[in-house]
Amino acid sequence: MTGDAEIRVFGIRHHGPGSARAIARALAEFEPDTVLIEGPADADPFLALAASDDMQPPVALLAYVRDEPARAAFWPFAAFSPEWQALRWAILHDADVRFCDLPAAISLAAEQSPESAERPDPLAALASAGGYDDFEQWWDAVIEHARPGDAEGAGAGAFDEITAAMEVLRADTDLDEHTARREAHMRQVLRTAVKAGARNIAVVCGAMHAPALTGPLGPAAPDARLLRGLPKVKAALTWVPWTHSRLSAASGYGAGITSPGWYDHLFTYPDDTTARWFTRVARVLREEDLPVSSAHVIEATRLADTLAVLRGRALPGLSEAVEATRAVLCDGDDVLLDLVARKLVVGEALGAVPEDTPTVPLDADLQARSKTLRLKRAPIAKKLDLDLRKDLDLQRSRLLHRLSLLGIEWALPAESAVRSTGTFRETWSLQWDPELSVAIVEASRWGTTVEAAASATVLDRARKPGTTLGEVTDLLEQALLADLRDAVPHLVTAIDAAAALDHDVLHLMSALPALIRTVRYGDVRGTDLTSLAHVADAVLARVCAGLPSAVTGLDSDAADAIRRAVDDVHTALALRDDPDAAGRWLDTLASVCDRDDVDGVLTGRTVRMLRDVGRFDEHATGVRVARALSVGSAPAAKARWIDGFVGGGGLLLVHDRGLLSLIDSWVSGLRAEDFVDVLPVLRRTFGSFAHGERTLLGRAVRGGSEHRATAALEPARGHRALTATALILGVPV
C-alpha cells in the first residue's frame, strides 16, 4: 500500500505461458484500475493499436534513432507473453495501461541496448535449488503446466514466492548502473500513477525487478538524482511483425527462450496438451510423405505420459515429448526430429500489425507493391521461379532487384530446379526476417518509394570518390535488372568518365565483360543501350592497345590475374557476336603469343585461344607446343606454359593425341628434382580436368584406347543394330 493506493507487483518470466495464465487470473481477481508494464515509456501512444483485431502476435515494438536507424531495439511480445496478456486485459477492461521502463530515447543512447545486454537469468538458480539440471524442465513442472483451477502454486501466490526468492538472489548480486536506473524510472512512474489518483495499481515486470518495486516506494529525490541528465536521442517507435524463431535464445535475443513454438502450444491448448501436440507432429511428418498413423500418435502420447510418471512429474514436458517423438514418430531418426524442432518446437509463426500502424513511406510503398505483385511475407524460405516473359514475373523481378540494391535482403538469388539456358528465368529464395524492418528504415533516407530509393542509392555509389570502373559497371548491370531507367543514362556517363580516367588495363578488362553482357542482353528488358555499345567499343580499343605492354615483367600472381581477365574478355566477346571487335581482340592475342618476355601461363593461354577459333591449325599449334617444351626452357617455365595451354579443360588433349604425346614425353623425361619442382603446377593443371577427362587421358597414356580400337569386331551384332535402326527410321535394310 502507498497512501490510499494498493500496489501489487507481479514478477514474471518474459514469454512464459504459465506466467501469462497466472497474470490473467491475478488481474481478474485484483481488478486494477491502472496496469504498468515493463516496456519503453515513450511507446505509450502506440498502446491503443494493441486493441485492433488485426494485431496478431508475435509482434514487437521497434525503436530506432531517427538520424541513425541502424541503432535500433526491439521489445517482442507473443500471445503467451505475460506482458501481452496484461496489456490485452487492461484494454478489454478499460483500465489505464502504460509502459514504465526507461524510454527508448534513453535506452538507445546507452552504449548497450536493452535487448543486446547479456545478463544471467536469476530464475536458473531457483531451478538448481529445485534439483533440476535444466531450467526449462523446472519451469515447465512448476509453472508452465499448471492448469486453470490448480492450486495456488501457479496463481497469485506464486508471484509472492518468486518475489521473495528474488530478494534473496538480489542480496548476492551486484546490479549494474543501467538496471538501477531502469528500476528508478519504474518507481517514478508508480509515484506519478498514485498522484494521478490510481487506487489499484498492478505492475507487471521481470521477476528480478519485483523486489525493487514491492513495499514502500520511499522518497523520490534519490531516484530523480539517478535519472537526471541522462543522454537522449531522437527516437521513433512503431509496431512490427515478429516471429517465434526470433524469440528463441538461439537467435541472440537476450530474453530468449528455447522453445517458443512449444510454449505457444501450451498456452493455446491447456487441455489435452500432449495428445494435441503429437497430432501436430504427425501432421508435419505427413506433409513430408512419411507414414504416420493415429496409432503412432496414441503410442507417443502413452510413452510421454509414462515417462512423466517415472520422473515424478504431474504432466509430460518438452523433454518427454521430444523423447516420445524420437522413439515412436521418427523411428530414432534425428534428422526428422530436427525437422519437428524447427517447425514446431521453435516454430515460424509470423505476426501481423494493423494497416494504420505508423511506418516510413518506403515501407508503405513496399507493402503496397508486394500486395499488388502477390508477394507474401513469410518466415519460411520459399523458392520463387520467375519467367521474365510474363509481365507479373518481370515486375516481381524488378522489385526484388531494387530491394537488393537497397540492402533489404528479403529475397536472395537461388539455383533453379527448372532447367533452362535462356536469360528469361530467375530463381529467388524469399524469407522474411523481422529485422528487415530496420533495413527498410535505413533505406528510407534514399526516397519514399522503392524505385526512387534504389535509383538514389545507385547514383550515390557511382559518384563516390574512388569508385572503380568495374564497380560502376556492376552498378549499371544491377540498375538494368532493377529497371531503374532514370539512373541508366547517368551511369553510362559515369562509366564513360571512369573509363577515360582509368589507365589500368586489368581494371578495363575486368569491367569489359559486364559491359558486353549488358549490351548483349540489356534489350531483353527493353532498354536502349546504344550509347553503352560505344563505351564498350572504346574500352575494348584501350584494352587492345594496352595489353601487349601490360603483360611484361609480371610475377606469377599478376600473370594469373591477367589470365583470368583474358578468359573473361574472350568469353564475353564470343557472346557479343561482333566480327570487328573479335578480330581486334584476336590480333592482340596473336601479338602476345610468341613473345619470350611474357609469362608462359599467358602465352600458353593465347595459343590455345587462337587454336580454338581457327587462327592456328594443328601444325602451327604443335610447333608452338614443341618449342615451349624444348630443352632451352626451364622446367618451371614449361609447366606454366602447359598450365596456360590446357588449364581448365582436357578435351583438347583427349582428341589430339599428338599434343598429348608431346606433353607425355616431356613429363616422362623430367629429372627427379625437376619433376618435384613442377609437380604443384602440373597437379593444379590436370587436377582441374573433369573426372571423365582424366580417365580418358589415363587410358590413352597407358595405351588403353589403342587396345580398344584394335579389339576384334563382331559384325553379326553390328548388323542386328543396323537392322533395328533401319526399322525405326522406316528405311530399307
Side-chain angles (χ1 to χ4, degrees), residues 317 349 591:
S591 69

Side-chain angles (χ1 to χ4, degrees), residues 339-382:
L339 173 69
V340 173
R342 283 186 287 107
K343 289 195 172 184
L344 291 182
V345 177
V346 174
E348 285 294 353
L350 176 66
V353 298
E355 291 185 0
D356 57 347
T357 301
T359 184
V360 292
L362 178 66
D363 191 23
D365 179 66
L366 174 58
Q367 291 184 36
R369 293 288 298 157
S370 302
K371 188 175 182 180
T372 301
L373 299 177
R374 300 199 292 273
L375 292 174
K376 187 178 180 181
R377 298 179 180 182
I380 302 175
K382 178 183 178 182

